[in-house]
Amino acid sequence: MKHRRSDFPPAVRKMVAARSGGVCELCGDEPAVHHHHRRLRHRAGPGDTHGVANGLHMCTRCHDQAHRDPKYATRMGVIVPSGFDPATEPVFLWSMRLLAHVPLLLGDDGSVTPAPVQVVA
């Protein structure tokens, strides 16, 4: 089955859902029901807008907030600016173990790795 332009392909949706465990990746509190494009589909740039690194599994509240407050969403890495590759841009996702948002890099293979720490002099 061919996916609509706005949808992630079924295999990508499955990988993003597996990564989230069915829980919102941003708040870690609510069931994830939306597949969100980090670099919005209408924005040009490197990387695949339908790749796993560009997808987040989110609850309705967090997904709505991302679109209502794009400055906040960009700071959190939930929205990636035009010209940037989602696979190289950190996103702050909720860690139940640390009870905090943690900067992570998402891979197109479904992997999640800690983002390098940037020290400001």
Side-chain angles (χ1 to χ4, degrees):
M1 178 170 108
K2 188 173 179 355
H3 67 277
R4 294 186 321 231
R5 185 188 73 80
S6 63
D7 290 340
F8 287 101
V12 170
R13 291 171 69 88
K14 186 176 180 178
M15 289 177 76
V16 172
R19 184 183 67 213
S20 76
V23 177
C24 179
E25 293 183 281
L26 193 59
C27 71
D29 193 38
E30 298 288 328
V33 294
H34 297 277
H35 284 84
H36 170 75
H37 288 82
R38 294 179 61 208
R39 192 178 72 234
L40 305 177
R41 293 177 309 274
H42 66 276
R43 293 186 175 175
D48 182 3
T49 59
H50 294 303
V52 177
N54 196 45
L56 287 178
H57 208 192
M58 300 169 71
C59 68
T60 298
R61 181 175 46 90
C62 289
H63 191 240
D64 289 348
Q65 181 182 7
H67 288 285
R68 263 193 330 270
D69 190 353
K71 287 182 181 180
Y72 166 79
T74 300
R75 282 194 312 274
M76 294 294 287
V78 174
I79 292 180
V80 176
S82 297
F84 288 83
D85 183 352
T88 62
E89 293 299 311
V91 58
F92 287 80
L93 300 184
W94 185 253
S95 167
M96 288 303 290
R97 186 173 60 80
L98 299 175
L99 298 178
H101 283 97
V102 178
L104 301 168
L105 295 174
L106 306 179
D108 277 328
D109 60 356
S111 63
V112 178
T113 56
V117 176
Q118 295 180 356
V119 177
V120 178

